[in-house]
Amino acid sequence: MPPQAPQPPATEPVPYASPAARSGLPWIEEPVAYDAILLAGFGGPEGQEDVIPFLRNVTRGRGIPDERLEEVAHHYRHFDGVSPINAQNRALKAALEAEIERRGLGLPVYWGNRNWAPYLEEAVQDAAAAGDTTLLAIATSAYSSFSSCRQYREDFARVLESTGLGETVTIDKVRQFFDHPGFVATFVEGVRTAVRNFLADGIAPEAIRVLFSTHSIPIADAERSGPRDLDLGEGGAYAAQHRAVAELVMAELAESVAEVAWDLVYQSRSGPPQQPWLEPDVNDVIAGLPAEGVEAVAIVPLGFVSDHMEVLWDLDTEAMEAAAEAGLRAVRTPTPGVDPAYVSGLVDLIEERLRGTLAAERPHATALGPWFDVCRPGCCENVRAGFKPAAAGVAP
């Protein structure tokens, strides 16, 4: 059964929403005739001269001086100032367009970013100029938290207001897809392949560890992720969703290959040292594995949809270096990228909104799903800034 959420009163509409989503019901179980898809990304620099302006955009409003931004910039400088994320989103956009065409859905895909060109403002204005005013958004993040969901919804509201399109364009959003079978498939296959290879090389199951890694966030933000009326335990919906997918992957592994120990770990933390963030850190865990008799580790980028900078630097560079220092054999498993199962799953999410598929009939691989079409009141509050106007969700 999907998670239960109370029905909002009829007097509490959802702003910037299609008529079907305006009432604020958790799941929209009536067909909606969307005009187009809005692919919403984070954005990234595409040259050395872009790096600091991009980081200024990412940290806007926090007053962080350029010299501190340069401490982070070396990740991008190492790759000639080019983040892979824009190229990956171009590839994803093309893959979505091909699958949408194959299914005969007739929907164009507009792509815009939060922090770098092409910006969301351009995408929404282009859509409106073409007469596409009822938009369904897909954000390139699968989980619930401020930065991975609500901030995109705030971006949509901000863009509609700043462009003057708030009265003519509506933006709904597909549900969080952390446990959609199409998203999960890449991780299942990646872990299965890694462990089989370790076993084939004579490493015993008890000497293998699987580390599911995702972006760390402040504990205060994690505790506010997901609806306020659901008790999802320590770390809120963000941690619960990752744990549920990791448990699913390991259950599949135990059934088909072998039973292996695993941990949920975190990476890429930032912010002041005195601010508590989700732990343990992936590199700290790796350093302690030899003392537990571990010889090989599979690092799974569970929180990421593609091989962007946090994967290339924090996992492929720093975590691999930590594994080498610990004397461990290590492999990093793939992200979904443009895997056909993942792309097909995203278009499944589009179709369920076009058709008004009943929640009970929607595919989901864990007991937490299917997640909500319309975010619930108070979902994923930004502790620093509080609530700002947001699309695709009931107002707090």
Side-chain angles (χ1 to χ4, degrees):
M1 290 291 292
Q4 299 303 303
Q7 311 299 315
T11 56
E12 191 175 29
V14 178
Y16 314 107
S18 68
R22 209 165 283 159
S23 66
L25 294 174
W27 296 277
I28 307 308
E29 298 178 319
E30 62 177 279
V32 179
Y34 292 105
D35 297 324
I37 304 305
L38 175 62
L39 180 63
F42 187 82
E46 300 198 81
Q48 294 286 14
E49 68 281 359
D50 297 342
V51 174
I52 293 301
F54 162 74
L55 291 174
R56 289 179 189 140
N57 286 345
V58 173
T59 60
R60 65 173 70 87
R62 301 184 203 172
I64 299 177
D66 284 0
E67 54 268 26
R68 284 187 57 197
L69 295 179
E70 195 62 52
E71 296 173 10
V72 178
H74 77 277
H75 301 170
Y76 296 95
R77 305 285 189 211
H78 180 80
F79 296 96
D80 296 324
V82 179
S83 166
I85 197 168
N86 277 349
Q88 289 161 6
N89 280 334
R90 290 187 189 99
L92 179 59
K93 178 178 182 288
L96 285 171
E97 288 169 335
E99 180 65 11
I100 287 169
E101 181 178 4
R102 187 188 71 79
R103 298 194 194 188
L105 301 181
L107 296 174
V109 179
Y110 298 91
W111 164 44
N113 294 321
R114 171 186 298 158
N115 296 305
W116 202 249
Y119 290 100
L120 279 165
E121 286 85 348
E122 302 167 38
V124 173
Q125 287 175 311
D126 287 347
D132 297 324
T133 58
T134 305
L135 307 181
L136 180 62
I138 299 174
T140 52
S141 181
Y143 299 89
S144 295
S145 73
F146 170 71
S147 59
S148 59
C149 184
R150 184 177 182 91
Q151 191 171 11
Y152 283 106
R153 298 196 296 109
E154 292 183 356
D155 288 336
F156 301 153
R158 171 182 55 79
V159 165
L160 290 175
E161 289 302 312
S162 67
T163 59
L165 294 170
E167 298 299 321
T168 55
V169 174
T170 65
I171 302 178
D172 296 342
K173 182 176 176 290
V174 301
R175 60 184 167 101
Q176 298 302 103
F177 51 84
F178 63 94
D179 70 345
H180 191 284
F183 175 70
V184 173
T186 301
F187 300 112
V188 171
E189 186 56 35
V191 171
R192 183 185 289 131
T193 299
V195 172
R196 277 180 174 161
N197 288 341
F198 290 152
L199 294 172
D201 289 342
I203 301 173
E206 59 270 20
I208 300 170
R209 184 67 53 86
V210 176
L211 299 182
F212 293 95
S213 189
T214 190
H215 208 300
S216 185
I217 61 175
I219 290 176
D221 286 335
E223 296 293 344
R224 289 166 173 78
S225 61
R228 297 299 80 229
D229 54 349
L230 289 182
D231 183 6
L232 295 170
E234 185 178 352
Y238 185 75
Q241 290 169 354
H242 283 88
R243 282 194 301 268
V245 179
E247 288 167 356
L248 169 73
V249 173
M250 297 310 292
E252 295 269 357
L253 180 72
E255 184 176 326
S256 61
V257 183
E259 192 165 337
V260 172
W262 64 276
D263 296 290
L264 176 61
V265 298
Y266 298 92
Q267 62 175 88
S268 314
R269 80 149 285 166
S270 58
Q274 65 272 21
Q275 184 182 40
W277 283 53
L278 291 174
E279 296 178 335
D281 177 78
V282 58
N283 295 317
D284 292 342
V285 171
I286 289 171
L289 289 179
E292 300 179 34
V294 174
E295 301 172 15
V297 59
I299 303 168
V300 186
L302 191 65
F304 305 94
V305 301
S306 63
D307 290 5
H308 50 74
M309 191 58 69
E310 282 85 351
V311 176
L312 295 184
W313 180 262
D314 296 1
L315 296 184
D316 290 356
T317 304
E318 293 186 335
M320 286 298 175
E321 288 175 356
E325 290 173 6
L328 297 171
R329 179 171 168 184
V331 63
R332 194 267 291 174
T333 68
T335 53
V338 291
D339 183 283
Y342 172 54
V343 174
S344 179
L346 292 179
V347 180
D348 288 346
L349 295 173
I350 294 169
E351 283 211 79
E352 69 185 23
R353 296 296 293 275
L354 290 171
R355 301 178 188 278
T357 304
L358 298 178
E361 298 174 2
R362 299 183 185 187
H364 56 97
T366 77
L368 292 178
W371 208 249
F372 310 109
D373 294 334
V374 178
C375 287
R376 313 320 301 148
C379 186
C380 299
E381 178 186 5
N382 180 352
V383 176
R384 293 187 308 273
F387 293 111
K388 295 179 181 178
V394 180

Short mmCIF file of all heavy atoms in Angstrom, two decimals, residues 99 103 105 136 346-357:
data_model
loop_
_atom_site.label_atom_id
_atom_site.label_comp_id
_atom_site.label_asym_id
_atom_site.label_seq_id
_atom_site.Cartn_x
_atom_site.Cartn_y
_atom_site.Cartn_z
N GLU A 99 12.01 8.01 -26.65
CA GLU A 99 11.05 7.08 -26.05
C GLU A 99 9.63 7.64 -26.11
O GLU A 99 8.66 6.90 -26.34
CB GLU A 99 11.44 6.78 -24.60
CG GLU A 99 10.52 5.82 -23.86
CD GLU A 99 10.50 4.42 -24.43
OE1 GLU A 99 11.35 4.09 -25.29
OE2 GLU A 99 9.63 3.62 -24.01
N ARG A 103 6.49 5.89 -28.21
CA ARG A 103 5.18 5.57 -27.63
C ARG A 103 4.04 6.39 -28.24
O ARG A 103 2.88 6.22 -27.87
CB ARG A 103 5.21 5.78 -26.12
CG ARG A 103 6.19 4.89 -25.40
CD ARG A 103 5.94 4.89 -23.90
NE ARG A 103 7.06 4.32 -23.15
CZ ARG A 103 7.03 4.07 -21.85
NH1 ARG A 103 5.93 4.34 -21.15
NH2 ARG A 103 8.09 3.57 -21.24
N LEU A 105 3.42 9.66 -27.88
CA LEU A 105 2.80 10.58 -26.92
C LEU A 105 2.75 12.02 -27.42
O LEU A 105 1.96 12.82 -26.91
CB LEU A 105 3.55 10.52 -25.58
CG LEU A 105 3.59 9.14 -24.90
CD1 LEU A 105 4.34 9.22 -23.58
CD2 LEU A 105 2.18 8.60 -24.69
N LEU A 136 4.52 19.24 -17.36
CA LEU A 136 4.79 18.21 -16.36
C LEU A 136 6.30 18.13 -16.20
O LEU A 136 7.02 17.85 -17.16
CB LEU A 136 4.22 16.86 -16.79
CG LEU A 136 4.45 15.69 -15.82
CD1 LEU A 136 3.76 15.96 -14.49
CD2 LEU A 136 3.94 14.38 -16.43
N LEU A 346 11.04 6.65 -16.60
CA LEU A 346 10.65 8.06 -16.54
C LEU A 346 9.44 8.33 -17.43
O LEU A 346 8.54 9.09 -17.05
CB LEU A 346 11.82 8.95 -16.96
CG LEU A 346 13.03 8.99 -16.01
CD1 LEU A 346 14.11 9.90 -16.57
CD2 LEU A 346 12.63 9.44 -14.61
N VAL A 347 9.40 7.70 -18.59
CA VAL A 347 8.24 7.90 -19.46
C VAL A 347 7.02 7.19 -18.90
O VAL A 347 5.88 7.65 -19.08
CB VAL A 347 8.57 7.46 -20.90
CG1 VAL A 347 7.37 7.67 -21.82
CG2 VAL A 347 9.76 8.25 -21.44
N ASP A 348 7.22 6.09 -18.17
CA ASP A 348 6.10 5.48 -17.43
C ASP A 348 5.48 6.49 -16.47
O ASP A 348 4.26 6.57 -16.31
CB ASP A 348 6.57 4.27 -16.63
CG ASP A 348 6.90 3.07 -17.50
OD1 ASP A 348 6.52 3.06 -18.68
OD2 ASP A 348 7.55 2.13 -16.98
N LEU A 349 6.34 7.27 -15.79
CA LEU A 349 5.85 8.28 -14.84
C LEU A 349 5.03 9.35 -15.57
O LEU A 349 4.04 9.86 -15.04
CB LEU A 349 7.02 8.93 -14.11
CG LEU A 349 7.84 8.03 -13.19
CD1 LEU A 349 9.07 8.78 -12.67
CD2 LEU A 349 7.00 7.54 -12.01
N ILE A 350 5.48 9.70 -16.77
CA ILE A 350 4.71 10.66 -17.57
C ILE A 350 3.35 10.06 -17.94
O ILE A 350 2.30 10.71 -17.79
CB ILE A 350 5.50 11.03 -18.84
CG1 ILE A 350 6.78 11.78 -18.49
CG2 ILE A 350 4.63 11.85 -19.80
CD1 ILE A 350 7.74 11.94 -19.66
N GLU A 351 3.37 8.83 -18.39
CA GLU A 351 2.12 8.20 -18.84
C GLU A 351 1.12 8.03 -17.71
O GLU A 351 -0.09 8.16 -17.92
CB GLU A 351 2.42 6.85 -19.49
CG GLU A 351 2.96 6.97 -20.90
CD GLU A 351 2.56 5.80 -21.77
OE1 GLU A 351 1.42 5.78 -22.26
OE2 GLU A 351 3.41 4.90 -21.96
N GLU A 352 1.60 7.74 -16.49
CA GLU A 352 0.63 7.56 -15.41
C GLU A 352 -0.09 8.85 -15.09
O GLU A 352 -1.24 8.84 -14.63
CB GLU A 352 1.30 6.95 -14.17
CG GLU A 352 2.27 7.85 -13.43
CD GLU A 352 2.97 7.13 -12.29
OE1 GLU A 352 3.05 5.88 -12.32
OE2 GLU A 352 3.45 7.81 -11.37
N ARG A 353 0.54 9.99 -15.36
CA ARG A 353 -0.14 11.27 -15.17
C ARG A 353 -1.03 11.61 -16.36
O ARG A 353 -2.09 12.23 -16.20
CB ARG A 353 0.88 12.38 -14.91
CG ARG A 353 1.68 12.18 -13.63
CD ARG A 353 0.82 12.24 -12.37
NE ARG A 353 0.28 13.56 -12.17
CZ ARG A 353 0.92 14.55 -11.55
NH1 ARG A 353 2.14 14.34 -11.07
NH2 ARG A 353 0.36 15.72 -11.40
N LEU A 354 -0.60 11.25 -17.55
CA LEU A 354 -1.45 11.46 -18.73
C LEU A 354 -2.73 10.64 -18.63
O LEU A 354 -3.80 11.08 -19.03
CB LEU A 354 -0.68 11.07 -20.00
CG LEU A 354 0.48 11.96 -20.43
CD1 LEU A 354 1.24 11.30 -21.57
CD2 LEU A 354 -0.02 13.34 -20.87
N ARG A 355 -2.62 9.44 -18.08
CA ARG A 355 -3.75 8.51 -18.02
C ARG A 355 -4.53 8.59 -16.72
O ARG A 355 -5.63 8.04 -16.61
CB ARG A 355 -3.25 7.08 -18.22
CG ARG A 355 -2.53 6.85 -19.52
CD ARG A 355 -2.03 5.41 -19.62
NE ARG A 355 -1.18 5.22 -20.78
CZ ARG A 355 -1.62 5.00 -22.01
NH1 ARG A 355 -2.91 4.96 -22.24
NH2 ARG A 355 -0.77 4.82 -23.02
N GLY A 356 -3.95 9.24 -15.69
CA GLY A 356 -4.60 9.26 -14.39
C GLY A 356 -4.61 7.89 -13.73
O GLY A 356 -5.60 7.48 -13.10
N THR A 357 -3.49 7.17 -13.82
CA THR A 357 -3.39 5.82 -13.27
C THR A 357 -3.63 5.84 -11.76
O THR A 357 -3.09 6.69 -11.04
CB THR A 357 -1.99 5.23 -13.55
OG1 THR A 357 -1.75 5.27 -14.96
CG2 THR A 357 -1.89 3.81 -13.04
#
